[in-house]
Amino acid sequence: MTEHSEAQTAAGAGPGGAAIRPFRIDVPQADLDDLRDRLARTRWPDELAGVGWAYGVPLGYLKELAEYWRTSYDWRRHEAGLNQLPHFITTIDGADVHFLHVRSPEPEALPLVMTHGWPGSIVEFLDVIGPLTDPRAAGADPADAFHLVCPTIPGYAFSGPTRDTGWGVRRVAGAVAVLMDRLGYGRYGAQGGDWGAAVARELGTAHPDRVVGVHVTLLTSRPPDDPAELAALTDAERERLGDGRRFEAEMSGYGRIQGTRPQTLAYGLTDSPAGQLAWIVEKFREWTDSAEVPEDAVDRDRLLTNVMLYWLTATAGSSARLYYETAHSGERARRMRNPTATGVAVFPKEIVRAVRPLAERTDNIVHWSEFDRGGHFAAMEEPDLLVGDIREFFRRFR
């Protein structure tokens, strides 16, 4: 690993000479006033009686949440909390890339890049940053410490909007690799869920000489074409394939729209905060280990802070373009085997749960964990479980 200097980063010069600039969140008050005004003037649709969540987010639930957002949620408090973390921004491949860079107090800590997905953000990681970077303070083994880099995907929040086409997973992963090089990390781990899992996997595939291990919470596999291979799976594994089919049939509409006409969608989500809220909160209800409402699994203010990063930066459209670019690049059809040692953490309410025999066809699986609670947003829902699994997986590479 190239020696890293905190003074160097603070001064704005990375090892490769490219500018790394300190970044601070400072939202103009006019933007907050505009948000409250728009929420107060929301034109609400009608609703069928007695259908619950079957047709989408219920009207009564969204009205109450939007009113809380308008009158009770305190952005300035959460903005101040976010600004307690070290934020930076740099330009890579023509795009601004925002990131958190939290150095561990342990000098021998292992660098780890954690990447979020959609509809997430760096807000997903707020409860895991401390335990991962400073396990000693959490009463854990300091040998498990990480230097943490949490990039915002180009096109999302403070890394958006992107200004040109082609920002699919491979280009995003390429930018993350440049970022890690720019920070002086020649050897590091990669972790993520959702799109972040795809980015982590791509890093392991493209840079096996630098990425020591890949840890993911989402790993999809195609069902086997061979009937004998399908028959060899357990009943539980075949049930997971059924979950995948149900997801495609009932819950993938958002992805089809974002993967085909993201610009058309962007007009509504960028103009209406209630629309942006509904578009995101639906996923937190469907993809989390929640009983009735998303707040059963994720703190309400934390959920709204995540929504705020999309709303305040007007990146609903540019974040959705990741679906379009990846779908139209042929990347998924050309999926290559990942040779880097890979760990998989399976949470029961994940949108598609991994099937190990199928995962082993495409990835070098050396670690596999099954948990009895938690869902798609593991770092927010079950931070202790995720932290423990990340620590356990990466111990072999220190």
Side-chain angles (χ1 to χ4, degrees):
M1 183 184 80
T2 305
E3 187 66 25
H4 175 276
S5 166
E6 281 295 330
Q8 183 182 59
T9 295
I20 296 175
R21 310 179 296 277
F23 180 87
R24 182 174 178 82
I25 306 170
D26 187 12
V27 174
Q29 184 59 41
D31 291 355
L32 302 181
D33 295 340
D34 175 70
L35 169 61
R36 294 190 181 98
D37 182 59
R38 287 172 183 265
L39 286 170
R41 294 185 296 107
T42 299
R43 184 186 183 199
W44 297 103
D46 73 324
E47 180 185 49
L48 294 172
V51 298
W53 287 78
Y55 283 66
V57 183
L59 179 60
Y61 171 79
L62 197 70
K63 277 188 170 182
E64 190 275 329
L65 183 59
E67 184 64 9
Y68 175 85
W69 191 13
R70 186 180 74 87
T71 62
S72 300
Y73 172 80
D74 183 355
W75 163 254
R76 292 302 185 198
R77 180 169 70 87
H78 296 287
E79 180 185 67
L82 287 169
N83 279 328
Q84 293 299 308
L85 296 166
H87 296 251
F88 300 92
I89 197 165
T90 189
T91 302
I92 301 173
D93 195 10
D96 284 339
V97 179
H98 162 267
F99 62 99
L100 300 176
H101 186 200
V102 187
R103 294 275 296 180
S104 172
E106 307 297 337
E108 300 303 316
L110 176 69
L112 177 66
V113 57
M114 294 186 73
T115 310
H116 65 85
W118 183 92
S121 67
I122 58 164
V123 171
E124 289 185 59
F125 304 132
L126 294 182
D127 289 334
V128 303
I129 289 173
L132 288 174
T133 57
D134 193 4
R136 188 191 301 269
D141 188 347
D144 285 330
F146 296 92
H147 298 310
L148 207 57
V149 179
C150 301
T152 296
I153 292 176
Y156 287 63
F158 306 119
S159 292
T162 43
R163 302 299 181 184
D164 59 347
T165 62
W167 280 99
V169 166
R170 289 184 182 170
R171 189 172 177 187
V172 170
V176 173
V178 171
L179 174 62
M180 295 303 281
D181 182 63
R182 197 167 286 182
L183 292 172
Y185 294 133
R187 177 181 181 273
Y188 55 90
Q191 199 282 330
D194 195 86
W195 284 118
V199 170
R201 188 183 180 279
E202 180 63 26
L203 285 168
T205 302
H207 304 284
D209 56 328
R210 298 173 61 192
V211 178
V212 299
V214 170
H215 183 280
V216 297
T217 56
L218 176 66
L219 186 61
T220 59
S221 302
R222 290 177 53 189
D225 297 323
D226 183 355
E229 190 176 0
L230 180 62
L233 298 177
T234 67
D235 290 343
E237 289 166 344
R238 284 193 292 272
E239 180 182 349
R240 291 186 180 187
L241 293 179
D243 290 344
R245 289 190 292 270
R246 284 188 289 275
F247 172 78
E248 287 296 321
E250 291 291 331
M251 294 191 292
S252 64
Y254 77 97
R256 295 179 187 275
I257 295 172
Q258 296 189 157
T260 56
R261 297 295 184 269
Q263 185 64 29
T264 304
L265 173 69
Y267 298 111
L269 300 190
T270 305
D271 187 61
S272 168
Q276 177 69 94
L277 179 64
W279 194 248
I280 289 178
V281 79
E282 178 186 86
K283 302 309 160 199
F284 274 82
R285 197 270 181 174
E286 291 186 338
W287 297 353
T288 58
D289 194 359
S290 58
E292 297 295 335
V293 295
E295 295 94 318
D296 292 338
V298 176
D299 176 78
R300 172 173 279 201
D301 275 21
R302 186 66 54 84
L303 173 60
L304 289 173
T305 300
N306 180 72
V307 173
M308 286 289 275
L309 295 196
Y310 285 83
W311 175 257
L312 293 170
T313 58
T315 52
S318 60
S319 62
R321 289 198 291 262
L322 179 55
Y323 286 79
Y324 184 97
E325 300 292 354
T326 301
H328 289 78
S329 67
E331 291 178 13
R332 288 173 175 168
R334 299 193 305 270
R335 186 176 185 181
M336 299 174 65
R337 178 171 175 80
N338 171 23
T340 300
T342 298
V344 181
V346 182
F347 291 86
K349 296 299 182 177
E350 180 57 89
I351 54 177
V352 179
R353 291 173 294 165
V355 177
R356 183 163 189 169
L358 302 183
E360 288 175 340
R361 299 185 308 181
T362 57
D363 294 80
N364 179 18
I365 306 296
V366 301
H367 171 93
W368 191 276
S369 298
E370 301 265 354
F371 295 102
D372 62 0
R373 63 185 188 276
H376 186 70
F377 302 95
M380 300 175 83
E381 296 180 67
E382 298 293 344
D384 292 345
L385 294 182
L386 183 63
V387 166
D389 204 64
I390 291 171
R391 288 172 177 166
E392 181 182 349
F393 170 69
F394 282 105
R395 280 177 193 141
R396 71 198 73 202
F397 306 112
R398 294 180 181 273

